[in-house]
Each structure stands twice: as structure tokens, then as C-alpha cells.
Amino acid sequence: MPSRRRTLLKVIILGDSGVGKTSLMNQYVNKKFSNQYKATIGADFLTKEVQFEDRLFTLQIWDTAGQERFQSLGVAFYRGADCCVLVYDVNSMKSFDNLNNWREEFLIQASPSDPENFPFVVIGNKIDIDGGNSRVVSEKKARAWCASKGNIPYFETSAKEGINVEEAFQCIAKNALKSGEEEELYLPDTIDVGNSSQPRATGCEC
Amino acid sequence: MLESEVHDLSDDADYAASQQQGSASMMLRSDSTKNSPREGAEIVFMKENVAIHPTQFASERISGRLKLIKQSSSLFMTWIPYKGHSSEARLSDDERNLYTIKAVSFTEIRSIRRHTPALAWPYIIVVLSSGLAYPPLYFYSGGVKEFLATIKQHVLLVRSEEDANVFLVNDFQNTLQRTLSSLELPRAVPIACGPSNLSVDESVLNENQGRADNDVNNGSFSATQFPGRPSHKVDPARDLSIHVLEKFSLVTKFARETTSQLFGENHSNGFSERRTHIRNNLDHPRKSSHAEEKTSDESCVALDSQEFENLSLVWGKPRQPPLGSSEWIIFLDSEGRVTDSEALRKRVFYGGLDHDLRNEVWGLLLGYYPYESTYAEREFQKSVKKSEYENIKNQWQSISSAQAKRFTKFRERKGLIEKDVVRTDRSIPFYEGDDNPNVNILRDILLTYSFYNFDLGYCQGMSDLLSPILFVMDDESEAFWCFVALMERLGPNFNRDQNGMHSQLFALSKLVELLDSPLHNYFKQRDCLNYFFCFRWILIQFKREFEYEKTMRLWEVLWTHYPSEHLHLYLCVAILNRYRGKIIREEMDFDTLLKFINELSGHIDLDASLRDAEALCICAGENGAACIPPGTPPSLPLDDGSFYALQDENLWAALKRTSRHSPYPSQNTLLGFTPDPEPVSPVAFLASSLQSAVGASRSAVGDAPAFSLFQARGRLA
Ligand SMILES: Nc1nc2c(ncn2[C@@H]2O[C@H](COP(=O)(O)OP(=O)(O)OP(=O)(O)O)[C@@H](O)[C@H]2O)c(=O)[nH]1
Ligand SMILES: [Mg+2]
């Protein structure tokens, strides 16, 4: 136990307003869903302890406002991120189309050292609505986009029903860890992430 | 303007002069004390029931007796709280001693500011020549005029040319006397009770006991009576006053910190010197005053910095009960016009409104109805505006679903609003439950507004601002027009380029720099000067920070624009200041700070913070106003057209453009330190020019911003 080091992993959740960023974060951290979350103003974050191998990490998950108008605030929050989660609503084409903007915006504002290899994870949320009947973005289309952007891991979730949320965040945490490890080369005893339990989710190549 | 202020700021020559006079008169007094405590002392004025308000509640006031005492040729003022008045705040002896004003000489007093509010007790604020001030003394049995008249008989008292309510004491207008360096001033301010001085205190206490006996024997107490000690001219009255001030004022905290910054630890010698308390209490026989003095020392030792932090400012006026309907009538003439809107605004500022009155008064406060309108005119306007509202609403209601299919912007806007209204205040009974019709009204009003002001459109946060308005007005059209009136002022908060927010955050950073330099320095060091952690506070006027009722109270107070349009910014400063100790002690970085501020929601004491905000606003005076760029919301926009110019289509492109430079004026630009080779935004430009203006006025004061405040307070309070 005492040998375990704590490390902070910073994760940013981005996506259009109302796609379910706050709901996803709360479902993952607090295991609950509420219809009464308010629209996010400014930014907030929740933390969660995660364990890989014999190491404990603090996952710091940043939830920002989705409305474009507030994006000039981003720079204050994006800096130092280890992973960026792009969320869209499978029932809204616009929210999917905007993923590209969110991604580029993030890369500009966070200016990570290696933008080509910065870890993103894409989440298509609200798959529960209408039993999937009102969905307008197909999984195929989403995966194609993810593949075109350097094989971004992709998850389909329901924050409401708690479907696939845990899996998505495990992948997010691992990717964050991986990017953190790459930067912290001075840490010799890096753990072998590849060997830890694989999430059931599709598409996570970590 | 600024220039003359600079001169004013350093006009502590009075102080230098008064020091000599002061110690001289103390000597005199001590001599007579030796012979007989009363000899030569004549009470020329005495008033019962003069009280201070150590807390926000007038019921917790501390009443006492105010006296003017003439001794030899000097005039002294004393205020001694009554003992054992059980109906009032229960005071320990220690506290009583802390509040007591023991014989301050009028050579120490620079000015007296008189306040005679229409609906509250008259009070005075005594400003010392050091720039420090006593807490307000409330005259519960009247007598302010008489008090001033008596003073006038004994010392030179002239009405300030700038403010008829300010009376300058011994103001000889001698500019030569004003040339004393402002650095003299901090040295004169005792660094009382700091924790680092505790050890010193103890030894000094012991010393004092021996010396006190000595004092009693030879009847002298001037510091100069102890040869061989480094001689800092110490004025006992000043030392005593600092106890009161320590207890009371934020400004004094500045003084203490500035002092310790300026003089560092090496000043503790001077400090111990100061701890030689003087028995100069003219109101009590010698022996008991000795005993009291001792407890005063002890109480002082017992206070630690933590305790200071818990003490709030007291010179914001006490909050009043909300304005009720019987009193409301008084503000109206027979036809319903508000006869004195200034008085109404002031009354609402200090107490807010009974909930039942909000429906009638909010429209006036927001400027939807003119104050001079009659009942009938308001009824008429209401009906005219109703049909106007219906017309605008009809614009989007008549969009068929087929048309909507080809009207993406409309669909998106509607979708965004629909997503937000279902997330707005759903735990309030008014908006609770499935298919609540009020939620639909919320949606309709917001959608109508986005057609009324199509360029601004809908932006998140607007539903938060509308919700209480609809709840209060309980009428769709009325709520809409009140919201329109509010958005006249707050619209720029939601501008695409965020300029309204940026100018407010910028102003906030300047205000903190002015009013709380330790916190400013901390934020600077921690790279937190963007103040994004206050974004939510400002964007929606603290809507998420207080429970519903308190939010409504706060809003009506802010909407009075009394004493400043920008009181909300002072409120930010006040709240930050309340938690300054915690923020610095726990070494919060940006993340932790943001989290901390977010989690303050629901835990902020509104009334106390408002009082602090008022005090800060008054303290800051013109210097505060100079921190706020013209046109900063909720000031009416300087130039209408340009605000909403940036169109949706260009948004992402524009964002990329700006963010490549800097999405927000860099801190350096913001502070005006580095010339920016890039074209700067209007805000940044404003910022740097403002900086030079403020900087110019401040540089002359050296590192002692606190004193500029004192000065401002002395004249503007
Ligand atoms: N049916 C369903 N509804 C969801 C799901 N996730 C979120 N919602 C609802 O979608 C709305 C928006 O959810 P939020 O989590 O507040 O969205 P957000 O992305 O944080 O939005 P902003 O804070 O405005 O950027 C809320 O009314 C949620 O109840 C989901 O998985 N299924
Ligand atoms: Mg959210």
C-alpha cells in the first residue's frame, strides 16, 4: 500500500449543449442519473479514484458548458488535459457534425505537445431514447469518423440507464494514463497498461 | 482629478502635526490625571444611546455614552459602552474594551461624516487623520447636529466643499503640511495582535504590569517616558483606536498587512513599544481603568488571525426588513407615481421587497415602467405591450413544421431552449412536475425573445434569469417585457465574443487589486487573474449561488443600482475576501479554487456579504469606479449595434482566429505590462489604458493602496 503513488489524470468532456456531458460524468462518478441537472455554466469537475495494477490514480473529470458562445473560456480549463472525451447525442445530427469542431477547438486551445497522438474518446449518448428509434447517427457513420481521426475509441452509452458508461470511462482513464506516462518518461517503472482487464466495450484499442 | 487625489492621499502632515500635539496633550492629561482624574476636565457634551452595530442586526447593537471632554485647550471624544445591558448584544468585558473609544483627541481626527438617512437612525463616521475610521456611531436618541455644533465651539470645523455632509477638523489647508511621505503613515499604525507577535505580547504584558505601576506612580504614560527604548512616537489614542479598527474593518486589515509588508518583522520592536498601554481613560477612576487596560491587553492577545477573518465588516449599513405594502404606499402619490425614486431605490437596497410587492415594483426597478407613470398609465402600457408581445410571439408560432424543416437556425434555437427550460429550477414548486405549463411559458418567452432580439438569440443562462421573473410576474407578457428590460443591461453577458463577461472579469480583477491586494497578489502568483472561477456568479447574477428567495432578494437589491450599478462586482470582492484566508492558507490553485467557489453555492451569507459589498463600494469610491471600464454590464451598452455583430456561421472560424492569438487578453496584456504587438481587442485596449490611469494614481501612493481607500472613504463615505 504505501508504495502506491497517486497521480492526477485530467480529462475534459466536450460536446454540444444537452448531449449529456454532465449526466455521463455523474453517472460514472456518483452512479446516478437525475432529470434535474442544470445546464452547465462555466465549468466544474468531479474526481474519482481509479486503480490500475497496484497504482491509484485520481481521475479529474472536467465538465464544461456546451454552448459555443462559452468556448473562449476553454483555454483556462483545457490546459494540462490527459484525455479529451467528445460526446454527441445519437439522436442529433448536428451534435455529431460538431464533433470535428470540438476536436479542433480543443487541439488549438489545449495545444498538447503531440496533437497527432493526443488521446480522444468519442461517446454517442442517449441510445435509450425511443428504444433507439429516433436515432439519426448510425454507429457505422460514427465509427467511420473515429477511424478517420486516428482510430479514436468509440462507445455508445446511456447516461440515463447507466449503459456502457463505466466501460467508456475505464477506457478514458487508461488513455489518460497512457498519455501521462508518455510525458513522464522520467518515471521508470511504468505499468503495463495493455495487460490490465480489457473493457467489454468495442473499439477501445488500449 | 487623479492628480489632486494623489495629493490628498498623502496629506498626512496633519498626522505628523497631530502626533506632536497629541503626545503633548497626553502629557498634559497625564499630569492632571496624576493630580486628580477630573481636574481641568470638563464634559462639554454627553449623549446617551449612541450605539455601534457590530453585526448586521440592529438589535445586536452596543449602546453607550458619547462624550466630548475639554481638557486644557484640547478636545477629546470618548464612547464607552454601557455595562450589562442585557437586551443588547451580550458583551464580554474583553469585547467591551475592544469597542470602547477612549479619549481620542480631536487633533487625531481628520473629519466627521454625517449620515442622516430618511428611514434609519442617523450616524456619524469619525475618520482619523491616519485615514482610519471608527465604526459608525448611531445616534439612537438623535443629537448629531448638537454634537457637531459643540465640536465647532472648540476646534476648527469646516464643511467640506465637496460634500456637505463631511466636516473637516482642523483643516488648515496648508499644503506644506501635506508633504509628509505617505510612508510615515504605516509606521504609525500599530501592528496589533498578529499571531507572529504573540510571543512579544507576552513579554510585553509582563513588562507592562511593572510599568503600569510605574505609570500610576508618576502618572505619565508617554512612550517617550522610557528612555533607552527606540523611540517611535506612539500615540495611545491611536493604539486604542486600532483595537477597535482591527475588530471592525477590512480596511484596517489592509493597513496591517501593508504595514507588515512594508516593514517586515523588524518592526516588532516598535510593536512592543506600542504595547505599552496607557491609562488615559477619563471616564473611570484610575484604578479601575488600570484593571480594564489589562483585560484589554489580554483580549488582544487572545485574538488570532483566524478570528479576524470571521469578523465581518461593520460599516456597511445594517440590513432592514423588506419593504412592505403599507410603507410602499408612502412612496406613491394618489395616482400611483413614485414621488421619490431615489428614496425608493435606497429603501429597496437596504431591505428588499416583501414578496407580494415584487410583482408591482420589479417592473419599475427594471425600467420597464417609468417611476413617474400612474396606475392608469401602467395598466395601459401593460395592455399595449401585451399585444406587442403576442405579435412577436406569433412570428415563430406561425412557422409551420414544413417551414421549420428548412429553417435550421430556428430548429436549433428551439431545441436548445427546450433542453434548457426542462433543466431550469424544476425543484421549485412553480416549475415542478411533468408537463408543467410554466415550463412551457418559459420556453415561449425565451423563444419569443430570441425573435425580439434575433442577433443575440438564445444563450444558456437566460433561462436562469427569466425563471424568477416569470415566477414573480406570473404573466407571460409582463415577464417577457421585464426580461427584455433586464437584458438591455445584461445582454452583453451573452454576446458571442463574450465582451460583456470579459469586461466584468477584468473590472473584478482591478477591484480586487485595489481593495484586497494580498488576495490579488496571491491570484497573480497562482496564475488565477482571469477570474474564470467567478464566471457563473457574474453571468447569471449569482442565480446558482443562493436559494430562490435569496436570489430574488439579491436581484432587487442589485437592480436599484444604489450605491453603484456594479455592486455585483463588489459583492464578488466581498465574498472572495470572506474566504481569502482559507484560499491562501490552503494554497488553492486554479482547479481547487474553481471547485471551492462552485461549492460555495448555498453557503454564502447574503446579508453579510451585501453589507461588505456596500462598505467596499463606498471605500473604493472613485478609485473603484475607475476600475470598471465604461459600458461594463449592467451599464447600458455604449454602442448598441456592434454587440451582436458576429454571426453564427462565422463563429467557429472567429473562435479559431481569436484563440490562435489568445481567446482572452493575456494576463500581461490585461495588466498592461507588455505592449501587445497583435491587434488587441477593445477590452484589452481599454484594460491597458485603464491600467495606466489607475497605475498613475496609485504609484504615487507607493505600496499602500489601503490609504487611498481611507482617503476615498473620508471624503465619499
Ligand atoms: N434519455 C436520456 N436522456 C439523457 C441522457 N443523458 C442526458 N439526458 C438528458 O439530456 C439533457 C441534457 O443532459 P446534460 O447532462 O445536462 O447535458 P450537458 O451535455 O451537460 O449539457 P450542457 O451542460 O448544457 O452543456 C437532460 O435533460 C438529461 O436528463 C441519456 O442517456 N438518455
Ligand atoms: Mg452540463
Side-chain angles (χ1 to χ4, degrees):
Chain A
M1 284 295 259
S3 69
R4 282 176 187 168
R5 274 166 303 166
R6 280 164 172 272
T7 314
L8 189 76
L9 300 175
K10 182 170 177 179
V11 172
I12 313 281
I13 311 183
L14 300 179
D16 278 8
S17 176
V19 296
K21 299 179 294 296
T22 303
S23 302
L24 280 165
M25 179 177 78
N26 275 285
Q27 179 61 259
Y28 173 61
V29 176
N30 300 319
K31 300 273 171 284
K32 60 180 192 208
F33 174 82
S34 160
N35 269 320
Q36 297 191 354
Y37 294 128
K38 296 172 180 218
T40 306
I41 304 276
D44 203 356
F45 63 84
L46 290 177
T47 53
K48 185 170 166 121
E49 299 287 322
V50 290
Q51 186 177 350
F52 283 113
E53 307 280 291
D54 60 344
R55 287 175 68 186
L56 267 183
F57 298 91
T58 304
L59 206 56
Q60 188 191 53
I61 306 165
W62 283 77
D63 177 29
T64 56
Q67 191 159 18
E68 299 163 344
R69 239 170 269 196
F70 297 133
Q71 282 318 298
S72 68
L73 288 176
V75 71
F77 308 121
Y78 297 176
R79 219 173 270 148
D82 298 299
C83 178
C84 175
V85 185
L86 303 172
V87 185
Y88 76 98
D89 173 355
V90 298
N91 308 285
S92 155
M93 187 56 82
K94 167 108 189 291
S95 72
F96 176 75
D97 288 342
N98 261 339
L99 288 184
N100 206 35
N101 289 324
W102 284 111
R103 181 175 168 276
E104 285 184 17
E105 189 57 26
F106 174 83
L107 289 174
I108 290 166
Q109 295 207 16
S111 44
S113 50
D114 182 9
E116 296 299 302
N117 296 308
F118 186 86
F120 287 92
V121 171
V122 170
I123 293 181
N125 189 38
K126 303 199 192 183
I127 54 168
D128 62 287
I129 290 185
D130 260 2
N133 288 327
S134 62
R135 125 171 235 165
V136 294
V137 184
S138 70
E139 185 174 344
K140 196 173 154 210
K141 181 168 179 161
R143 286 192 181 283
W145 184 80
C146 289
S148 76
K149 296 295 168 187
N151 284 321
I152 301 177
Y154 176 71
F155 291 85
E156 298 207 332
T157 63
S158 163
K160 187 177 181 182
E161 311 287 340
I163 300 169
N164 231 7
V165 176
E166 183 70 35
E167 292 79 355
F169 275 92
Q170 276 188 24
C171 177
I172 290 161
K174 279 186 201 168
N175 275 284
L177 177 58
K178 209 166 60 180
S179 95
E181 295 285 331
E182 274 159 16
E183 276 171 28
E184 295 166 47
L185 291 171
Y186 54 89
L187 281 178
D189 55 339
T190 43
I191 54 154
D192 185 1
V193 192
N195 284 349
S196 61
S197 61
Q198 287 284 347
R200 283 183 289 123
T202 55
C204 183
E205 25 69 283
C206 42
Chain B
M1 190 70 223
L2 289 168
E3 195 60 27
S4 73
E5 236 158 61
V6 170
H7 283 293
D8 276 356
L9 297 175
S10 51
D11 72 346
D12 355 296
D14 304 336
Y15 166 68
S18 70
Q19 270 223 316
Q20 288 175 334
Q21 290 170 27
S23 44
S25 56
M26 288 305 169
M27 293 289 290
L28 275 172
R29 202 163 6 128
S30 73
D31 287 336
S32 55
T33 305
K34 181 184 167 188
N35 302 329
S36 151
R38 297 288 174 201
E39 194 189 289
E42 181 197 352
I43 297 169
V44 292
F45 173 86
M46 186 162 82
K47 197 78 212 170
E48 305 289 348
N49 287 319
V50 176
I52 59 162
H53 291 178
T55 70
Q56 56 177 302
F57 303 108
S59 62
E60 284 178 21
R61 66 180 181 267
I62 303 169
S63 297
R65 181 182 296 147
L66 182 71
K67 286 186 197 171
L68 292 173
I69 297 165
K70 173 105 187 189
Q71 188 164 28
S72 301
S73 58
S74 305
L75 189 67
F76 298 88
M77 185 184 91
T78 70
W79 177 82
I80 312 289
Y82 300 134
K83 283 189 173 161
H85 264 228
S86 54
S87 65
E88 296 169 359
R90 262 155 260 252
L91 272 190
S92 70
D93 282 349
D94 287 359
E95 277 175 302
R96 195 201 324 278
N97 278 310
L98 212 48
Y99 296 146
T100 303
I101 300 172
K102 293 174 189 170
V104 56
S105 163
F106 269 76
T107 57
E108 290 296 303
I109 296 175
R110 174 189 291 168
S111 65
I112 297 171
R113 161 98 205 196
R114 177 184 66 176
H115 293 256
T116 44
L119 293 155
W121 311 112
Y123 62 95
I124 58 161
I125 294 174
V126 176
V127 181
L128 299 174
S129 28
S130 61
L132 302 175
Y134 285 107
L137 291 163
Y138 290 81
F139 285 61
Y140 275 76
S141 309
V144 173
K145 207 170 174 180
E146 195 190 338
F147 173 73
L148 291 170
T150 310
I151 294 170
K152 204 161 185 176
Q153 289 167 17
H154 298 278
V155 298
L156 180 65
L157 190 72
V158 288
R159 216 178 253 256
S160 160
E161 278 169 24
E162 290 150 49
D163 186 335
N165 280 316
V166 172
F167 297 84
L168 303 168
V169 178
N170 292 328
D171 185 50
F172 299 109
Q173 300 289 325
N174 183 345
T175 43
L176 269 180
Q177 282 189 351
R178 293 167 184 256
T179 54
L180 185 71
S181 140
S182 58
L183 288 181
E184 279 294 309
L185 190 56
R187 207 196 304 153
V189 179
I191 317 162
C193 308
S196 60
N197 292 318
L198 281 181
S199 56
V200 181
D201 277 354
E202 251 148 39
S203 62
V204 168
L205 259 183
N206 298 333
E207 265 180 72
N208 275 359
Q209 278 181 333
R211 196 171 302 142
D213 294 334
N214 197 24
D215 287 355
V216 172
N217 291 334
N218 68 13
S220 70
F221 44 72
S222 164
T224 55
Q225 295 294 304
F226 304 102
R229 298 196 142 258
S231 175
H232 289 273
K233 281 183 224 152
V234 176
D235 181 359
R238 181 177 304 276
D239 203 350
L240 291 171
S241 73
I242 211 73
H243 293 303
V244 180
L245 290 159
E246 284 285 4
K247 187 87 178 173
F248 279 101
S249 89
L250 173 76
V251 179
T252 314
K253 279 200 263 172
F254 300 158
R256 184 160 36 107
E257 272 142 6
T258 316
T259 312
S260 33
Q261 276 163 25
L262 283 174
F263 294 93
E265 295 307 310
N266 62 5
H267 207 57
S268 49
N269 291 335
F271 172 80
S272 61
E273 180 88 3
R274 284 191 187 100
R275 310 285 308 143
T276 59
H277 275 277
I278 316 305
R279 291 57 184 136
N280 62 341
N281 190 333
L282 297 173
D283 276 86
H284 294 281
R286 203 168 58 214
K287 271 170 198 158
S288 78
S289 89
H290 177 189
E292 267 190 33
E293 205 48 54
K294 215 179 121 196
T295 45
S296 164
D297 274 351
E298 277 154 9
S299 73
C300 185
V301 172
L303 286 167
D304 66 4
S305 59
Q306 180 114 27
E307 202 171 329
F308 283 129
E309 252 139 47
N310 297 334
L311 298 167
S312 62
L313 290 154
V314 290
W315 43 17
K317 270 217 265 172
R319 309 289 308 160
Q320 292 172 5
L323 174 68
S325 33
S326 53
E327 195 187 341
W328 163 236
I329 304 297
I330 303 172
F331 286 95
L332 301 172
D333 70 11
S334 57
E335 296 185 303
R337 296 180 193 88
V338 175
T339 45
D340 184 350
S341 63
E342 165 93 14
L344 173 66
R345 282 166 47 232
K346 190 170 172 185
R347 176 64 183 88
V348 175
F349 177 80
Y350 283 111
L353 295 159
D354 260 358
H355 185 71
D356 293 344
L357 271 186
R358 288 187 169 131
N359 179 283
E360 197 176 347
V361 184
W362 275 22
L364 293 161
L365 288 177
L366 285 166
Y368 166 46
Y369 292 115
Y371 285 113
E372 53 282 2
S373 59
T374 62
Y375 292 125
E377 284 162 353
R378 292 200 282 272
E379 275 308 308
F380 179 69
Q381 176 174 331
K382 185 174 170 177
S383 65
V384 170
K385 286 291 185 179
K386 193 172 200 74
S387 63
E388 197 180 327
Y389 172 74
E390 294 300 333
N391 279 341
I392 309 167
K393 185 177 174 182
N394 193 43
Q395 291 173 3
W396 61 263
Q397 281 192 317
S398 61
I399 295 173
S400 68
S401 52
Q403 189 189 357
K405 277 200 177 108
R406 298 180 301 271
F407 196 169
T408 308
K409 191 172 270 180
F410 171 68
R411 284 198 321 274
E412 284 172 8
R413 202 168 267 191
K414 187 155 177 266
L416 191 55
I417 292 170
E418 277 167 351
K419 263 183 206 121
D420 278 3
V421 292
V422 297
R423 292 186 287 173
T424 304
D425 294 324
R426 299 305 295 280
S427 56
I428 307 297
F430 189 77
Y431 295 110
E432 205 169 46
D434 296 340
D435 303 319
N436 184 316
N438 293 323
V439 175
N440 294 335
I441 298 175
L442 217 46
R443 178 202 58 201
D444 288 359
I445 295 176
L446 288 168
L447 202 47
T448 307
Y449 182 78
S450 87
F451 273 69
Y452 171 84
N453 189 343
F454 198 86
D455 289 345
L456 183 60
Y458 173 76
C459 180
Q460 286 187 309
M462 288 185 183
S463 69
D464 279 279
L465 291 177
L466 176 59
S467 156
I469 293 177
L470 177 60
F471 172 63
V472 161
M473 302 314 289
D474 205 13
D475 176 285
E476 187 171 334
S477 159
E478 290 288 284
F480 172 80
W481 290 110
C482 283
F483 180 69
V484 166
L486 180 65
M487 293 306 291
E488 287 288 312
R489 290 175 172 277
L490 297 186
N493 281 10
F494 302 100
N495 282 354
R496 287 174 211 293
D497 62 2
Q498 291 284 291
N499 60 1
M501 288 305 296
H502 285 164
S503 60
Q504 286 170 93
L505 293 171
F506 166 75
L508 175 58
S509 78
K510 301 313 294 176
L511 284 175
V512 172
E513 185 177 5
L514 177 74
L515 291 161
D516 194 344
S517 56
L519 190 62
H520 170 80
N521 292 336
Y522 179 80
F523 285 159
K524 192 170 169 184
Q525 180 197 328
R526 291 282 166 158
D527 211 8
C528 292
L529 285 180
N530 58 30
Y531 283 84
F532 283 161
F533 44 86
C534 294
F535 185 85
R536 190 174 76 193
W537 289 3
I538 292 173
L539 185 83
I540 50 175
Q541 303 260 289
F542 295 91
K543 166 70 165 30
R544 300 273 180 97
E545 318 312 319
F546 297 102
E547 56 193 55
Y548 215 60
E549 168 60 33
K550 290 264 180 219
T551 302
M552 293 190 286
R553 171 62 30 84
L554 171 62
W555 285 7
E556 61 211 11
V557 166
L558 293 178
W559 294 343
T560 64
H561 298 148
Y562 180 99
S564 159
E565 274 184 334
H566 301 100
L567 195 85
H568 70 296
L569 296 177
Y570 292 96
L571 186 61
C572 295
V573 182
I575 298 170
L576 289 174
N577 174 267
R578 282 186 161 245
Y579 295 98
R580 190 245 320 240
K582 191 174 166 64
I583 291 169
I584 296 177
R585 205 166 36 243
E586 297 181 11
E587 302 188 342
M588 295 187 190
D589 57 9
F590 179 82
D591 295 359
T592 324
L593 189 59
L594 180 98
K595 187 93 187 147
F596 173 70
I597 299 274
N598 281 346
E599 287 178 354
L600 273 185
S601 173
H603 301 287
I604 302 170
D605 180 340
L606 177 61
D607 280 354
S609 303
L610 272 176
R611 285 187 52 167
D612 290 1
E614 184 202 0
L616 286 166
C617 178
I618 292 167
C619 271
E622 288 168 21
N623 291 335
C627 292
I628 303 168
T632 297
S635 294
L636 290 170
L638 295 173
D639 167 21
D640 267 16
S642 66
F643 274 118
Y644 315 123
L646 214 53
Q647 291 300 300
D648 282 299
E649 294 77 43
N650 303 326
L651 182 71
W652 287 104
L655 269 174
K656 277 171 213 161
R657 234 182 6 254
T658 43
S659 55
R660 212 158 281 133
H661 300 162
S662 158
Y664 183 68
S666 76
Q667 274 158 17
N668 283 341
T669 316
L670 202 66
L671 294 171
F673 290 147
T674 42
D676 195 340
E678 304 281 348
V680 286
S681 76
V683 178
F685 175 72
L686 206 54
S688 46
S689 46
L690 197 79
Q691 167 67 24
S692 38
V694 174
S697 81
R698 290 197 47 228
S699 58
V701 210
D703 281 322
F707 302 106
S708 57
L709 296 184
F710 294 143
Q711 180 60 29
R713 181 169 187 88
R715 283 187 295 111
L716 301 167

